Amino acid sequence: MAMQLERSVGITEATKIVALSLQVSEPVLLVGPPGTGKTELVKAVARAMNLPCEVLIGSIMQPSDLAIPYLSEGEVEFSVLKIIKQFGECGGVLFLDELDKASRAIQSAFLTIILNKRIHYLHLPNLRIIAACNPVEAGGESDLISPLINRVSIIHYKPRPEEVVRGFRTRWQLPSIPVLDNFKVDLTPNLPPETEKEVYWRNLVASFLERSPSLILDYRDGEPFPSPRTWEKSYRVLAVADECGELEVGWVMVEGLVGVGAASALREFVK
């Protein structure tokens, strides 16, 4: 079933939507192009709200992952249960990624989790669920089952160019999020220190994207394409290559990340 969505939200709105979803325990389905940071956004909001977050990739799951028991330390376990038993009484966030590429059996299993807040013998009253998929025009599948669509809030997500530039400059500092008093929010990102080269190339890429917003995201099926994710990988590659005195090798890798055209445009900008 194809989803007709009238509007899209950027990073700031999506951050607030995810935060609200986690507080009211109403599932959200983020529909957005690959490489735009859906997974990292959900994990960052969960971390800020002090909630554990686990990711399940629908495209690589089999029904047996949810149904076949095995012995673990003398106890019967199910693979997904082992992942989320750590949530405890306060609950946590289960992020279902690539939902559109999951088989109908897996989608039905996810629907059961949403409806019953239960996996086998484990009742999960405080489980929060966020899901994500790609739109059809960006490599997504359209075969989501109707009962599942009817039980999630579908949000079309696409970062605004200015938000991506700001994300690069601030290392993706979260905007303020609306929370109830029972949540303690820490918006400080848990990031390792940067080298001088990383700071230099990160800010240079941010300046380039600010000047060339059309190259922030240019999805191309079956070949490298620029996206916030591949630009982030690119500046890290260039920083290390620069530090090692092998910048030419770094540029070859960047071509393999964002494509020849986008890499050439960045290289021209650097000159």
PDB file of all heavy atoms in Angstrom, residues 81 84-85 117-124:
ATOM      1  N   LEU A  81      13.667 -11.257  22.866  1.00  0.00           N
ATOM      2  CA  LEU A  81      13.525 -11.069  24.319  1.00  0.00           C
ATOM      3  C   LEU A  81      14.865 -10.787  24.970  1.00  0.00           C
ATOM      4  O   LEU A  81      14.973  -9.933  25.862  1.00  0.00           O
ATOM      5  CB  LEU A  81      12.906 -12.311  24.966  1.00  0.00           C
ATOM      6  CG  LEU A  81      11.414 -12.547  24.734  1.00  0.00           C
ATOM      7  CD1 LEU A  81      10.976 -13.768  25.513  1.00  0.00           C
ATOM      8  CD2 LEU A  81      10.600 -11.347  25.148  1.00  0.00           C
ATOM      9  N   ILE A  84      15.688  -7.092  24.661  1.00  0.00           N
ATOM     10  CA  ILE A  84      14.926  -6.046  25.335  1.00  0.00           C
ATOM     11  C   ILE A  84      14.613  -6.335  26.805  1.00  0.00           C
ATOM     12  O   ILE A  84      14.018  -5.486  27.466  1.00  0.00           O
ATOM     13  CB  ILE A  84      13.611  -5.757  24.584  1.00  0.00           C
ATOM     14  CG1 ILE A  84      12.700  -6.979  24.595  1.00  0.00           C
ATOM     15  CG2 ILE A  84      13.881  -5.310  23.171  1.00  0.00           C
ATOM     16  CD1 ILE A  84      11.358  -6.718  23.939  1.00  0.00           C
ATOM     17  N   LYS A  85      15.039  -7.488  27.320  1.00  0.00           N
ATOM     18  CA  LYS A  85      14.817  -7.742  28.743  1.00  0.00           C
ATOM     19  C   LYS A  85      15.542  -6.731  29.612  1.00  0.00           C
ATOM     20  O   LYS A  85      15.172  -6.495  30.754  1.00  0.00           O
ATOM     21  CB  LYS A  85      15.252  -9.171  29.102  1.00  0.00           C
ATOM     22  CG  LYS A  85      14.222 -10.232  28.749  1.00  0.00           C
ATOM     23  CD  LYS A  85      14.704 -11.620  29.114  1.00  0.00           C
ATOM     24  CE  LYS A  85      14.723 -11.825  30.620  1.00  0.00           C
ATOM     25  NZ  LYS A  85      15.046 -13.224  30.981  1.00  0.00           N
ATOM     26  N   LYS A 117       1.730  -5.132  23.582  1.00  0.00           N
ATOM     27  CA  LYS A 117       2.872  -4.789  24.430  1.00  0.00           C
ATOM     28  C   LYS A 117       3.412  -6.052  25.116  1.00  0.00           C
ATOM     29  O   LYS A 117       3.707  -6.080  26.305  1.00  0.00           O
ATOM     30  CB  LYS A 117       2.481  -3.750  25.491  1.00  0.00           C
ATOM     31  CG  LYS A 117       2.081  -2.402  24.927  1.00  0.00           C
ATOM     32  CD  LYS A 117       3.279  -1.685  24.334  1.00  0.00           C
ATOM     33  CE  LYS A 117       2.895  -0.292  23.840  1.00  0.00           C
ATOM     34  NZ  LYS A 117       2.669   0.641  24.928  1.00  0.00           N
ATOM     35  N   ARG A 118       3.538  -7.092  24.339  1.00  0.00           N
ATOM     36  CA  ARG A 118       3.962  -8.385  24.874  1.00  0.00           C
ATOM     37  C   ARG A 118       4.727  -9.140  23.799  1.00  0.00           C
ATOM     38  O   ARG A 118       4.361  -9.118  22.626  1.00  0.00           O
ATOM     39  CB  ARG A 118       2.748  -9.192  25.335  1.00  0.00           C
ATOM     40  CG  ARG A 118       3.071 -10.584  25.870  1.00  0.00           C
ATOM     41  CD  ARG A 118       1.805 -11.352  26.184  1.00  0.00           C
ATOM     42  NE  ARG A 118       1.060 -10.732  27.246  1.00  0.00           N
ATOM     43  CZ  ARG A 118       1.293 -10.936  28.545  1.00  0.00           C
ATOM     44  NH1 ARG A 118       2.248 -11.780  28.906  1.00  0.00           N
ATOM     45  NH2 ARG A 118       0.579 -10.335  29.457  1.00  0.00           N
ATOM     46  N   ILE A 119       5.810  -9.808  24.212  1.00  0.00           N
ATOM     47  CA  ILE A 119       6.508 -10.759  23.355  1.00  0.00           C
ATOM     48  C   ILE A 119       6.577 -12.065  24.114  1.00  0.00           C
ATOM     49  O   ILE A 119       7.265 -12.163  25.138  1.00  0.00           O
ATOM     50  CB  ILE A 119       7.921 -10.278  22.980  1.00  0.00           C
ATOM     51  CG1 ILE A 119       7.864  -8.918  22.284  1.00  0.00           C
ATOM     52  CG2 ILE A 119       8.609 -11.294  22.087  1.00  0.00           C
ATOM     53  CD1 ILE A 119       9.217  -8.363  21.923  1.00  0.00           C
ATOM     54  N   HIS A 120       5.802 -13.034  23.637  1.00  0.00           N
ATOM     55  CA  HIS A 120       5.731 -14.332  24.312  1.00  0.00           C
ATOM     56  C   HIS A 120       5.323 -14.140  25.776  1.00  0.00           C
ATOM     57  O   HIS A 120       4.312 -13.529  26.050  1.00  0.00           O
ATOM     58  CB  HIS A 120       7.059 -15.081  24.154  1.00  0.00           C
ATOM     59  CG  HIS A 120       7.415 -15.327  22.724  1.00  0.00           C
ATOM     60  ND1 HIS A 120       6.731 -16.187  21.913  1.00  0.00           N
ATOM     61  CD2 HIS A 120       8.398 -14.791  21.946  1.00  0.00           C
ATOM     62  CE1 HIS A 120       7.254 -16.186  20.705  1.00  0.00           C
ATOM     63  NE2 HIS A 120       8.261 -15.341  20.694  1.00  0.00           N
ATOM     64  N   TYR A 121       6.140 -14.584  26.716  1.00  0.00           N
ATOM     65  CA  TYR A 121       5.747 -14.520  28.122  1.00  0.00           C
ATOM     66  C   TYR A 121       6.054 -13.177  28.765  1.00  0.00           C
ATOM     67  O   TYR A 121       5.657 -12.910  29.895  1.00  0.00           O
ATOM     68  CB  TYR A 121       6.464 -15.622  28.921  1.00  0.00           C
ATOM     69  CG  TYR A 121       7.973 -15.488  28.927  1.00  0.00           C
ATOM     70  CD1 TYR A 121       8.606 -14.631  29.828  1.00  0.00           C
ATOM     71  CD2 TYR A 121       8.755 -16.213  28.034  1.00  0.00           C
ATOM     72  CE1 TYR A 121       9.993 -14.505  29.830  1.00  0.00           C
ATOM     73  CE2 TYR A 121      10.131 -16.090  28.040  1.00  0.00           C
ATOM     74  CZ  TYR A 121      10.743 -15.238  28.941  1.00  0.00           C
ATOM     75  OH  TYR A 121      12.103 -15.108  28.939  1.00  0.00           O
ATOM     76  N   LEU A 122       6.771 -12.300  28.069  1.00  0.00           N
ATOM     77  CA  LEU A 122       7.228 -11.053  28.669  1.00  0.00           C
ATOM     78  C   LEU A 122       6.263  -9.910  28.352  1.00  0.00           C
ATOM     79  O   LEU A 122       6.093  -9.532  27.199  1.00  0.00           O
ATOM     80  CB  LEU A 122       8.632 -10.712  28.159  1.00  0.00           C
ATOM     81  CG  LEU A 122       9.311  -9.494  28.794  1.00  0.00           C
ATOM     82  CD1 LEU A 122       9.507  -9.696  30.286  1.00  0.00           C
ATOM     83  CD2 LEU A 122      10.651  -9.220  28.117  1.00  0.00           C
ATOM     84  N   HIS A 123       5.616  -9.379  29.405  1.00  0.00           N
ATOM     85  CA  HIS A 123       4.722  -8.240  29.246  1.00  0.00           C
ATOM     86  C   HIS A 123       5.545  -6.956  29.332  1.00  0.00           C
ATOM     87  O   HIS A 123       6.360  -6.796  30.244  1.00  0.00           O
ATOM     88  CB  HIS A 123       3.647  -8.254  30.346  1.00  0.00           C
ATOM     89  CG  HIS A 123       2.608  -7.204  30.167  1.00  0.00           C
ATOM     90  ND1 HIS A 123       2.027  -6.543  31.224  1.00  0.00           N
ATOM     91  CD2 HIS A 123       2.054  -6.681  29.038  1.00  0.00           C
ATOM     92  CE1 HIS A 123       1.156  -5.662  30.759  1.00  0.00           C
ATOM     93  NE2 HIS A 123       1.150  -5.727  29.450  1.00  0.00           N
ATOM     94  N   LEU A 124       5.332  -6.056  28.388  1.00  0.00           N
ATOM     95  CA  LEU A 124       6.150  -4.850  28.287  1.00  0.00           C
ATOM     96  C   LEU A 124       5.258  -3.608  28.289  1.00  0.00           C
ATOM     97  O   LEU A 124       5.102  -2.921  27.279  1.00  0.00           O
ATOM     98  CB  LEU A 124       6.977  -4.897  27.003  1.00  0.00           C
ATOM     99  CG  LEU A 124       7.868  -6.131  26.844  1.00  0.00           C
ATOM    100  CD1 LEU A 124       8.275  -6.316  25.394  1.00  0.00           C
ATOM    101  CD2 LEU A 124       9.091  -6.003  27.732  1.00  0.00           C
TER     102      LEU A 124
END
